[in-house]
Amino acid sequence: MQNIAILGATGSIGRSALAVIANHPDRYRAGALAAGSDAKALAAAALAVRPQAVAIADEAKRSELAALLAEGGWKGEILSGPGAAEQLAADARFDTVIHAIVGAAGVRPAFAAAAAGKRLLLANKESVVCGGEILMRTVRESGATLLPVDSEHNAIFQCLHAAGSSGRDAARIWLTCSGGPFHARPEVDLARVTPEQALAHPTWKMGRKISIDSATLMNKGLEVIEAHHLFDFPPERISVVIHPQSVVHSMVEFADGAVVAELGTADMKLPIAYCLAYPERIAGDVKRLDITRMGPLTFSEPDTGRFPLLALAFEAISSGAASPIILNGANEVAVEAFLAGKIGFAAIGALCRDALDALSPAEPSGLEDILEIDRMAREAARSLTARHAI
């Protein structure tokens, strides 16, 4: 019986994780749930599964959460504040951590779970983007197990595992990308795109920040950096391909030219179930892929001229460990500014470029250095926002 802490329990991945756990009560228990500020959704989830502990990052929502839980007759432990998720991640009661917090707020909990030697099912790509080799070294030294939940990285993991290590040194990763709402629409003036248009993802149902990252292709840029660290592949052996049908979740090309791909429906319960049961497989309550009805599959190269953030991600890998942290922090500020109507859609990439040009910090040697570079990046991006104001 795995006793699981779910960080980001009220988001789309957290809800999918709870659904998988509910289908296998003999194997898994949701022992702890953590959320950012949605007290009502967290309370509803907790009353449904009766965990040992809950945590909410927004201290101001603690009393509301406590009242809702008391009304439902739940008397477990309540943690609150910015460090609450980190505390659950390190708690010895929970041997598995599903980490689905969005953004750099997930960096500390990822390090906490890794240092504690946990089985870490990671959907927070920013912790790998920012933590880089320092996080991967922490995983190795503590004896933790890191399993990627993101559909693309989970697909790569499955392909590498299925094919074994033969020819891996000469292999190539092919990261597939839906292209977001604008890649197939060259007639759209990106400078005039509204938040509502950018949030309308054609395939996946995701949170606001990830949806904007998908529209700018920054989500794929972050995934390139993540793949570089997770699988120890140099950037010149990582390629991105636009695949709007989102059936092939990613591929690995081996030394002999053979390509192994993972296909499936666009449902995050698939990679979550794979990671929970690994190295076994368990029955999944998902719509099955009907090969005879899925239609044509198309692949094309991304337009990095129109979507420059993808190219910036490749550049950041080659520029040192600080650059991905700067790029990630600046992007989070830029996305917030776009959603608030302060800058245009096309200015997100320009603001990130400016932040990279403005900063040249020393390479990080540990977690606190990583967080300090992230703080500097955000501060620089906020000061540069006026340059790109609407």
Side-chain angles (χ1 to χ4, degrees):
M1 174 69 71
Q2 288 185 42
N3 197 23
I4 303 165
I6 305 176
L7 313 183
T10 59
S12 60
I13 292 176
R15 294 193 300 271
S16 292
L18 286 167
V20 173
I21 291 168
N23 285 330
H24 299 275
D26 57 324
R27 298 182 60 133
Y28 311 114
R29 178 189 180 188
L33 307 179
S37 60
D38 193 339
K40 290 181 179 178
L42 180 57
L47 292 175
V49 302
R50 302 283 166 168
Q52 295 160 270
V54 298
I56 191 160
D58 187 346
E59 186 71 59
K61 296 295 184 74
R62 181 189 176 101
S63 58
E64 178 187 356
L65 175 63
L68 291 168
L69 291 170
E71 185 178 336
W74 183 85
K75 299 179 180 180
E77 181 181 5
I78 300 176
L79 305 176
S80 60
E86 180 182 0
Q87 188 174 340
L88 283 183
D91 194 315
R93 290 176 293 176
F94 314 113
D95 44 32
T96 299
V97 175
I98 298 177
H99 186 349
I101 295 172
V102 176
V107 174
R108 278 193 183 278
F111 269 87
K118 298 295 184 71
R119 185 178 174 96
L120 174 58
L121 279 54
L122 191 60
N124 171 263
K125 59 179 60 67
E126 290 84 359
S127 56
V128 180
V129 169
C130 296
E133 174 52 29
I134 299 171
L135 176 62
M136 300 309 294
R137 184 173 66 245
T138 302
V139 169
R140 292 191 299 270
E141 291 176 351
S142 70
T145 299
L146 195 164
L147 299 169
V149 170
D150 267 348
S151 61
E152 295 83 358
H153 299 91
N154 186 268
I156 295 164
F157 182 75
Q158 291 195 49
C159 291
L160 290 170
H161 181 255
S165 60
S166 179
R168 186 184 187 282
D169 290 343
R172 172 171 294 277
I173 287 173
W174 289 90
L175 280 168
T176 56
C177 173
S178 72
F182 307 124
H183 200 278
R185 300 175 61 194
E187 77 281 1
V188 173
D189 182 356
L190 296 183
R192 297 179 179 275
V193 163
T194 66
E196 291 72 25
Q197 291 172 315
L199 289 167
H201 195 279
T203 306
W204 297 93
K205 293 181 180 179
M206 306 180 292
R208 286 164 63 83
K209 194 266 181 183
I210 298 176
S211 294
I212 300 302
D213 283 350
S214 179
T216 63
L217 298 197
M218 180 58 175
N219 193 48
K220 205 54 49 178
L222 295 175
E223 289 177 4
V224 167
I225 301 171
E226 188 179 7
H228 165 63
H229 291 294
L230 286 176
F231 307 111
D232 194 25
F233 269 62
E236 61 269 20
R237 289 202 279 122
I238 302 173
S239 297
V240 173
V241 61
I242 302 297
H243 172 54
Q245 295 83 18
S246 297
V247 171
V248 177
H249 297 305
S250 276
M251 303 170 279
V252 177
E253 176 186 348
F254 290 90
D256 58 3
V259 177
V260 177
E262 190 267 329
L263 286 71
T265 53
D267 190 329
M268 286 305 297
K269 292 195 290 293
L270 280 169
I272 292 167
Y274 181 81
C275 288
L276 277 173
Y278 178 81
E280 303 175 53
R281 286 185 182 269
I282 55 175
D285 181 23
V286 299
K287 182 180 179 181
R288 298 303 178 108
L289 180 65
D290 187 340
I291 300 293
T292 65
R293 296 178 181 273
M294 67 183 183
L297 304 180
T298 61
F299 303 89
S300 61
E301 292 185 4
D303 184 349
T304 54
R306 197 161 176 243
F307 299 91
L309 279 164
L310 179 56
L312 276 183
F314 276 98
E315 178 185 321
I317 296 174
S318 303
S319 299
S323 292
I325 304 170
I326 296 168
L327 178 60
N328 180 74
N331 177 68
E332 289 194 20
V333 170
V335 169
E336 290 173 2
F338 168 66
L339 289 172
K342 296 178 181 178
I343 64 173
F345 180 81
I348 296 174
L351 181 54
C352 290
R353 170 81 274 173
D354 287 351
L356 283 166
D357 291 341
L359 297 173
S360 54
E363 296 293 278
S365 60
L367 174 59
E368 297 308 319
D369 289 345
I370 291 168
L371 297 174
E372 175 58 18
I373 295 170
D374 175 71
R375 184 198 65 77
M376 293 168 57
R378 292 168 188 276
E379 185 177 285
R382 291 188 186 101
S383 68
L384 292 164
T385 298
R387 182 184 297 180
H388 302 281
I390 295 176

